[in-house]
Amino acid sequence: FWVDRGQSMQFTSDKAHGAKADRAALLALALCVLLVRGGERVGLTDTPLRPMTGEVQLGRLAEALTQERTADYAPPDLTMLPRHARAVFISDFMGAPEPVAEALATAAERGVTGVMIQILDPAEEAFPFDGRTVFHSMGGTLEFETRKAADLRSRYQARLAERKEALAQMAAHAGWQYHCHHSDTPPASALLWAFAALEGHR
């Protein structure tokens, strides 16, 4: 598992459904539980923890997933990705797309198949902003001000649609599958999709 813990994942437009990071950790741990119960070994690609099975490993993963990064966007880290494994990338994929493409190419070279789950807040889809608005990244390194936010809506949504299509194409080229999940919807649908997709990669 690579689970994005960059600052962008801390965004939420409504505390009722929580931050994207919370949903990412929930999906990752729930999927790990299902896989461990099926006799699989699980681990994180960006920690020294080698893939293992058992309740102790699940506890280690839960602790690791609570650690935040300082960067706005965290690129995939495949340091501990074994050859011929099945992998899960969970992120908002709102950073530069090049590191994602490079990571998928590296995974393909190692004979790794897998799934990409993009988690978006509903506000990131709807862009419900109007009038004077100041946008800033969660880490505070980027800022943009506009007096007519509504005028940007169609262009923003077009760019987001292009990004999602590009991610789906990247995944398909690497032999992976892509799924977009919204943080205000029940996690069960994304969990079942991912589990079925991974089973199909056996």
Side-chain angles (χ1 to χ4, degrees):
F1 284 75
W2 171 69
V3 182
D4 186 345
R5 297 193 296 283
Q7 288 294 313
S8 69
M9 295 294 287
Q10 297 300 322
F11 174 72
T12 180
S13 61
D14 189 335
K15 292 182 179 180
H17 58 249
K20 293 181 289 184
D22 297 334
R23 180 56 59 89
L26 175 64
L27 287 175
L29 287 172
L31 193 50
C32 282
V33 169
L34 292 177
L35 292 170
V36 165
R37 288 178 177 175
E40 302 285 354
R41 294 177 297 162
V42 295
L44 297 175
T45 64
D46 58 352
T47 73
L49 295 172
R50 63 185 180 89
M52 296 178 64
T53 189
E55 296 293 327
V56 173
Q57 179 73 347
L58 292 175
R60 292 171 180 153
L61 297 181
E63 183 177 359
L65 288 173
T66 63
Q67 300 173 5
E68 296 180 10
R69 301 290 178 83
T70 56
D72 277 328
Y73 304 101
D77 183 340
L78 306 187
T79 303
M80 297 297 290
L81 180 64
R83 290 185 175 275
H84 307 295
R86 288 176 295 164
V88 179
F89 287 5
I90 306 178
S91 171
D92 59 9
F93 296 109
M94 296 293 267
E98 291 81 8
V100 179
E102 292 171 5
L104 288 171
T106 298
E109 290 173 359
R110 297 182 188 179
V112 174
T113 57
V115 300
M116 297 168 57
I117 303 175
Q118 182 179 29
I119 298 181
L120 296 177
D121 186 275
E124 292 175 319
E125 285 276 12
F127 199 82
F129 308 105
D130 197 2
R132 181 180 179 275
T133 307
V134 179
F135 300 95
H136 59 85
S137 62
M138 295 301 293
T141 60
L142 301 172
E143 184 174 300
F144 175 78
E145 180 177 354
T146 178
R147 294 185 180 278
K148 298 180 179 180
D151 291 350
L152 302 176
R153 185 173 297 119
S154 60
R155 282 180 287 169
Y156 166 83
Q157 291 176 330
R159 290 287 298 274
L160 179 61
E162 291 173 2
R163 171 63 63 96
K164 292 162 74 173
E165 178 61 25
L167 289 168
Q169 291 181 2
M170 286 182 203
H173 184 71
W176 288 41
Q177 295 186 59
Y178 161 85
H179 179 74
C180 183
H181 174 68
H182 297 131
S183 58
D184 64 333
T185 62
S189 60
L191 177 63
L192 293 175
W193 175 89
F195 187 74
L198 288 174
E199 287 295 292
H201 282 297
R202 280 184 178 274

